[in-house]
Amino acid sequence: MTVLSSESFPDQRKPSLAETTPVPLERWTEHYARRVLVHDSVAVGTAGLLAVLLRFGEDSPVLRGVLSYYLVAAIMALGWLAVLGLSRCYEPRFLIAGTEEYRRVTSASLRLFGAVGFIAYATKTDVARGFLLWFFPLGLLGLLLGRQRVRRLLARQRSQGSGFHRTVVIGSAGAVRELVERLQQHTSSGFQVVGVCVTGGVESLGDAVIEGVPIVGTLTSVRRVVESLGVDTVAVAGASLGGEALRRLSYELEGTGIDLLMAPAVLNIAGNRISIRPVAGMPLLHVNEPELDGSRKVLKATFDHTTAAVGLVLLAPALLVLCLLVKLTSRGPALFRQTRVGRDGELFSVLKLRTMQVDAEQRLHEFLALNESDGGVLFKLRNDPRITPVGRWLRAWSLDELPQLVNVLRGQMSMVGPRPPLPTEVEKYEGHAHRRLLVKPGITGLWQVSGRSDLTWEESVRLDLQYVENWSLGLDIAVLAKTLTAVVRSSGAY
């Protein structure tokens, strides 16, 4: 049994049931695994060839006067693929989504690197260090980029209506509705709900669909339903079923090849915070507290400062040009400073390239009645007349945010985090929204890669809290990578 957790990013488009062609799970997942293997083979093979050429040039290098280094590279590439296989890097449940795939690939590669070094030392084999120092970094980079490319190919395939897990969701009406809604929002996770089975009976609900998905049966008719719909996955929503009912369901699906998933009642907890703890013969979910201090805080600060410093050095000429562009095209300073609320409610002055007229703050009251924000906490106006022509272009490409790298170096912001709020916004916070202030605000974040200004207030809060609860360095790197795509699309930026 597998535990579902929300680690995916929202997708743009949801194919309808009619658009989706049922494909047996074994067929498309095995095809996907073979495609990954082909990419891995190309990656490590190319890395071995490049390592030999970069280390030895056009010479004919040999190891101990017997083995050509080209043969050594081929043997090590095959060994690398074998280690990946033994580390279960080709099992469908570890592929396609989440960070576990990349973690396993990285861990297996590091173990192989260590084993090669130990064997070379133990056997006193003088392997060229330059060859190894080229081979492993190039190979690991190729493996990670190749697997990311295969995921993009699958995402394109899913946008055309194939490559989905055909899923039936089981549980109480409320729990089913919540899980179905989340799976429909996150189509990149690959679960397409084709029917739901509710506890208590269809007649008790008064309608025939939940979130547009037909109610096809009850708990007692699951086996018949999955066979008639060609389902490959059954997902139990929340704590809808008792232990005995869940056990009977697993017995009923045994031998069918159908995956049984169970979504915990708390859907915003990332998988790396959940573990199974056996207690009194029962598997209990253990949810770790979010780690916001200690070594993880130092790691995040180091990553932020290093990334910001490198970014400023590389982008300094472009920033100078943009400052001159702002200065020469409208009256006022090139940089705009505004008070924002940071970690633990501490106030700081955020830096941005000025995108509005100099009197924009004083004229805000003129446009409050036109606010397009659903929650009323934020102020959003798609065609704000206070924005300058150059400012609109800067916002579309998020270039106005670049000076915030200075805020990161000052320790006031992070590269990735919740959106930095205004003091007037914080005064309107209700419920758990204040938890956004437990970490430093970020230049980018889950809100940036999930719709930006197109998000509602509730969606923005949910994404920020999801980040606060589930922060990891891997998540930061993933968000930064996805930010580039979001900026290129320039959707939701105004």
Side-chain angles (χ1 to χ4, degrees), residues 84-262:
L84 291 175
L86 293 173
S87 300
R88 304 161 80 180
C89 294
Y90 298 105
E91 291 189 15
R93 61 176 172 152
F94 298 127
L95 297 173
I96 302 173
T99 58
E100 178 64 15
E101 175 184 1
Y102 301 127
R103 189 196 68 79
R104 283 180 174 270
V105 169
T106 303
S107 178
S109 302
L110 292 176
R111 287 199 301 270
L112 177 63
F113 183 71
V116 169
F118 175 77
I119 293 173
Y121 174 79
T123 60
K124 298 182 179 180
T125 301
D126 189 18
V127 182
R129 288 186 294 272
F131 165 74
L132 296 178
L133 291 176
W134 279 113
F135 183 34
F136 280 96
L138 287 174
L140 180 57
L141 179 63
L143 289 171
L144 297 178
L145 291 178
R147 286 170 178 254
Q148 187 182 51
R149 180 177 182 274
V150 177
R151 285 194 184 189
R152 287 199 299 268
L153 292 174
L154 179 62
R156 188 181 308 164
Q157 182 182 346
R158 284 175 172 169
S159 69
Q160 298 170 355
S162 60
F164 285 92
H165 296 277
R166 290 176 62 83
T167 306
V168 164
V169 176
I170 304 173
S172 63
V176 164
R177 181 172 287 107
E178 183 178 5
L179 180 57
V180 170
E181 182 182 0
R182 294 296 294 275
L183 292 178
Q184 289 177 340
Q185 290 175 348
H186 296 72
T187 56
S188 59
S189 62
F191 294 94
Q192 185 178 48
V193 184
V194 297
V196 299
C197 292
V198 294
T199 56
V202 178
E203 61 279 357
S204 64
L205 296 177
D207 53 22
V209 297
I210 293 181
E211 296 295 327
V213 179
I215 300 173
V216 292
T218 63
L219 182 59
T220 58
S221 57
V222 174
R223 180 65 179 263
R224 174 184 58 79
V225 166
V226 297
E227 289 177 349
S228 63
L229 294 179
V231 168
D232 59 59
T233 303
V234 172
V236 179
S240 301
L241 302 185
E244 183 60 31
L246 189 59
R247 185 161 48 250
R248 285 199 303 268
L249 178 61
S250 66
Y251 292 160
E252 195 172 354
L253 297 177
E254 192 172 325
T256 63
I258 296 173
D259 289 336
L260 177 60
L261 310 180
M262 183 173 179

